[in-house]
Amino acid sequence: VAKVDDLVTSRVMRLANSAAVLFTLKALVDKVGMAVSLDNFQVNTAADQFVGVVGDLEIAGWCYNIWALCVLLQLASVVRSALADKDELTQGDVTAMAATNFFVARMVGSDAPLQSTVLAALVTGYAMRNNVGASSATKTSLHTASVQLASAFLTTSATLGVVAFLAALIPSIPVVGGFVPDVSALLAVVAMHGITNRAGNGSLKEIVNGVILAGMSLNAIKGGIDLSLDFDSILSNVTTAFLLFVTYQAVDNARAAASDL
């Protein structure tokens, strides 16, 4: 009996302890329509379902495949903990993953996308801010990676959403010959500069920043550069140049962070 408890029952109990993660993860996957077809080995990551609140500086659509990666990491974490000789998931880890799944699922298709995205960003970052379970802003393991990735991505989405919202509230200022052009894209780049260079970014956060900014830069230069001398074109080119500079910083940080994993 003792041998059965050690080899089987203990693992079943550990899997049961992770029920909250599995339940909320299934709810999230079902809501967005993620699926794997074994007949033709097709994978539907449902990346478009996660496209949420962004401003003029849009996150590239392919970056949203990060959510499929988060799902796989959580499944791997639960399976590894169940098969290990001892429970590797703390209650804090389970709560962090389950809460992340719940609030991300709540965010998808929300009637108030900005508020839901900000709330999800705050919740997913809680474990890292308070070192709940094995979570830490600067330490990464299989059991913390999914929440760290979600937190990093949602922090950027929420920040861009808030910047776009505040930029829309800035009244047009009358000037000689017209009005001040829209500077929301430039403000978004300034925000990304702050996110990229803030102290305390963990390795995964640096990598996520680099990937997101690389996608933004590709989108920005894809349509070409307008060399007209009107104010709108000059402002657009300045914004793009600043974006490329911030992207260089982020990619360099990501390279250094990847070597530390």
Side-chain angles (χ1 to χ4, degrees):
V1 173
K3 195 65 173 178
V4 171
D5 282 346
D6 183 50
L7 295 177
V8 180
T9 309
S10 62
R11 288 171 167 79
V12 173
M13 293 302 294
R14 288 201 293 272
L15 190 61
N17 289 339
S18 303
V21 175
L22 298 175
F23 178 80
T24 54
L25 193 61
K26 184 179 186 304
L28 172 60
V29 168
D30 288 345
K31 183 172 184 180
V32 300
M34 286 187 188
V36 177
S37 175
L38 297 180
D39 294 333
N40 50 10
F41 298 101
Q42 288 187 344
V43 179
N44 177 20
T45 61
D48 58 314
Q49 296 296 313
F50 291 94
V51 179
V53 182
V54 291
D56 293 83
L57 199 64
E58 292 188 358
I59 297 175
W62 53 266
C63 290
Y64 290 92
N65 287 303
I66 192 174
W67 295 109
L69 178 58
C70 288
V71 170
L72 292 176
L73 286 171
Q74 285 197 22
L75 287 174
S77 174
V78 170
V79 170
R80 172 171 169 169
S81 180
L83 296 179
D85 293 332
K86 62 180 181 178
D87 197 350
E88 296 183 357
L89 282 174
T90 68
Q91 185 58 51
D93 296 324
V94 171
T95 301
M97 286 190 281
T100 294
N101 297 337
F102 175 82
F103 281 95
V104 170
R106 180 181 179 274
M107 175 191 73
V108 175
S110 171
D111 293 332
L114 178 57
Q115 295 91 322
S116 297
T117 302
V118 171
L119 180 59
L122 291 173
V123 170
T124 56
Y126 176 83
M128 273 72 71
R129 292 193 302 271
N130 296 276
N131 294 322
V132 174
S135 298
S136 167
T138 57
K139 296 179 181 178
T140 300
S141 71
L142 175 61
H143 302 309
T144 63
S146 65
V147 177
Q148 288 177 327
L149 283 173
S151 175
F153 197 88
L154 286 170
T155 297
T156 298
S157 295
T159 301
L160 291 175
V162 170
V163 168
F165 174 78
L166 294 177
L169 298 179
I170 299 175
S172 296
I173 305 172
V175 295
V176 177
F179 294 89
V180 173
D182 183 8
V183 295
S184 55
L186 180 59
L187 293 177
V189 179
V190 172
M192 289 304 302
H193 181 268
I195 292 173
T196 299
N197 293 284
R198 66 179 290 274
N201 283 340
S203 296
L204 281 185
K205 175 64 174 173
E206 297 284 17
I207 293 172
V208 169
N209 288 341
V211 171
I212 289 176
L213 278 160
M216 288 177 171
S217 292
L218 289 174
N219 281 347
I221 63 178
K222 186 167 54 177
I225 304 296
D226 187 354
L227 298 179
S228 302
L229 296 180
D230 59 274
F231 195 87
D232 285 341
S233 296
I234 293 174
L235 178 60
S236 176
N237 291 336
V238 168
T239 301
T240 300
F242 188 24
L243 173 60
L244 293 175
F245 170 71
V246 176
T247 300
Y248 169 78
Q249 289 183 313
V251 171
D252 189 54
N253 291 343
R255 178 193 56 76
S259 65
D260 293 335
L261 287 177

